Amino acid sequence: MRALTSEAEALWLDFLNNSDNRGHAERIILGDSLQRHYEACSQSSREVVRWVSQYVDRNNVKSILEVGSSIGMNCVALAEEYPGAKVTGIEPEHEAVNVAEALSKEVATCRFVRGFGESLPFEDGEFDLILCSTVIEHVRDVEKVISEMTRVLSKNGVIYIEAPNYIWPYEPHLQIWTIPKLGKKWMSLCALVQGKRKQAPFLDHLQLVTPHQIKKLLLNNELAIRNVFYEKVERLLLGNSVAIKAYPGIAKALRMLNKLGVGKVVISVIFLIGLYPSLMFVAKKGQ
């Protein structure tokens, strides 16, 4: 892992100190230094890209878009994974774009555009792979963003969408427990009770997305879809090495239920009602 340049470090600090953003209620550093934080972010991005890549025919990937690219870590990881592809990130936050450009100077295939997912400044069918990871809950118009991603997706392209599931009783940005489907006023009260009063206004811009909602919007755009979080849990039950980092207790409980012979029944019910932590969909054209 290369060391951060002084330019990238200064710009990253500006990004961390920017309170006018739609992405984070609080911005914190992982580890004891910005370099360690950078290394942790790089590792996380590589894991995301490896996970997504299993659903992609890499021979067909010549052009990649990340919607909501933040500081560009996923884009750099995508450029490493697909060295022959052109990688584009679009991001509304000026400070984030500055960091992305500084971090990717040695990656000639990366470019970053300041803009919004609701109005993508790209040609129809331009991208073979579109990544939208923990972003769709931050946009102003979920339906429009999905429509725009579909428009710029190539004939045999793939969209990967991942986000929190707001049927699940935990809000990850504020890190609070709540009762789902009772709305933002209730969530604000939960934030107050759990010592997150200062962060509560951040809830105002969140879209409380659910798997049923995203599935419907993808189908409305005539895309073939796969619920890959369901597949992830199935692999877990089969004893495969699958990481569910945020909820290791759930993974342990599912394994125990599977030993008792009721694992598949339990997850079928869970997925029927949508009560699971994250939504993950792969959507394709040309199916």
Side-chain angles (χ1 to χ4, degrees):
M1 176 60 63
R2 64 189 178 90
L4 284 171
T5 65
S6 57
E7 177 195 16
E9 188 166 326
L11 291 169
W12 204 329
L13 290 173
D14 287 342
F15 166 76
L16 290 171
N17 292 325
N18 178 33
S19 59
D20 182 23
N21 73 85
R22 295 176 64 86
H24 303 270
E26 291 181 289
R27 286 179 167 165
I28 58 174
I29 292 178
L30 303 173
D32 57 5
S33 68
L34 196 54
Q35 178 66 32
R36 292 288 181 86
H37 180 66
Y38 171 49
E39 292 168 2
C41 290
S42 295
Q43 178 61 30
S44 177
S45 291
R46 291 189 182 105
E47 290 173 1
V48 169
V49 170
R50 282 196 294 269
W51 169 256
V52 174
S53 293
Q54 66 186 308
Y55 301 106
V56 179
D57 179 357
R58 64 177 56 248
N59 293 323
N60 291 331
V61 177
K62 307 300 181 186
S63 185
I64 303 171
L65 173 67
E66 182 177 21
V67 176
S69 52
S70 186
I71 58 172
M73 301 299 292
N74 286 343
C75 286
V76 171
L78 285 162
E80 292 173 348
E81 185 74 17
Y82 301 91
K86 294 180 180 179
V87 180
T88 302
I90 186 166
E91 165 63 39
E93 187 180 350
H94 181 70
E95 290 80 1
V97 172
N98 288 343
V99 180
E101 290 176 341
L103 291 178
S104 64
K105 278 188 173 180
E106 296 180 9
V107 186
T109 57
C110 280
R111 63 166 173 157
F112 295 93
V113 177
R114 189 165 180 239
F116 295 87
E118 290 86 349
S119 181
L120 295 174
F122 309 116
E123 298 294 328
D124 294 0
E126 186 171 340
F127 299 100
D128 306 309
L129 171 61
I130 300 176
L131 179 67
C132 185
S133 180
T134 61
V135 167
I136 201 74
E137 74 273 22
H138 298 291
V139 305
R140 289 182 172 85
D141 188 331
V142 175
E143 183 176 3
K144 183 62 176 174
V145 171
I146 290 177
S147 175
E148 277 289 275
M149 288 195 294
T150 304
R151 179 183 65 80
V152 302
L153 187 66
S154 65
K155 182 179 178 181
N156 295 302
V158 174
I159 297 173
Y160 177 83
I161 297 179
E162 179 175 346
N165 173 11
Y166 283 97
I167 298 177
W168 185 251
Y170 185 76
E171 205 303 300
H173 301 89
L174 271 63
Q175 300 180 343
I176 59 171
W177 291 96
T178 184
I179 298 176
K181 308 298 284 183
L182 293 185
K184 292 182 181 180
K185 288 185 178 179
W186 170 256
M187 293 173 73
S188 294
L189 178 60
C190 292
L192 176 64
V193 170
Q194 295 173 56
K196 298 296 180 74
R197 180 178 181 179
K198 290 183 178 180
Q199 292 81 22
F202 183 79
L203 294 168
D204 292 341
H205 87 264
L206 285 177
Q207 302 285 349
L208 305 183
V209 294
T210 69
H212 304 302
Q213 173 197 9
I214 299 301
K215 178 180 178 180
K216 180 180 179 181
L217 291 173
L218 292 168
L219 290 174
N220 286 348
N221 281 275
E222 301 181 347
L223 297 170
I225 62 172
R226 292 172 63 177
N227 184 336
V228 296
F229 193 79
Y230 183 84
E231 295 178 16
K232 190 173 190 177
V233 174
E234 277 193 322
R235 292 185 200 179
L236 182 74
L237 291 181
L238 291 171
N240 294 341
S241 179
V242 176
I244 302 182
K245 292 182 177 180
Y247 302 97
I250 292 176
K252 186 176 180 180
L254 286 173
R255 289 191 181 99
M256 185 175 294
L257 288 170
N258 199 44
K259 288 181 179 179
L260 296 173
V262 294
K264 288 188 176 181
V265 174
V266 170
I267 68 164
S268 294
V269 173
I270 287 171
F271 277 85
L272 180 65
I273 62 178
L275 188 61
Y276 48 95
S278 300
L279 63 88
M280 296 180 186
F281 286 105
V282 166
K284 296 183 178 182
K285 282 185 174 179
Q287 301 301 306

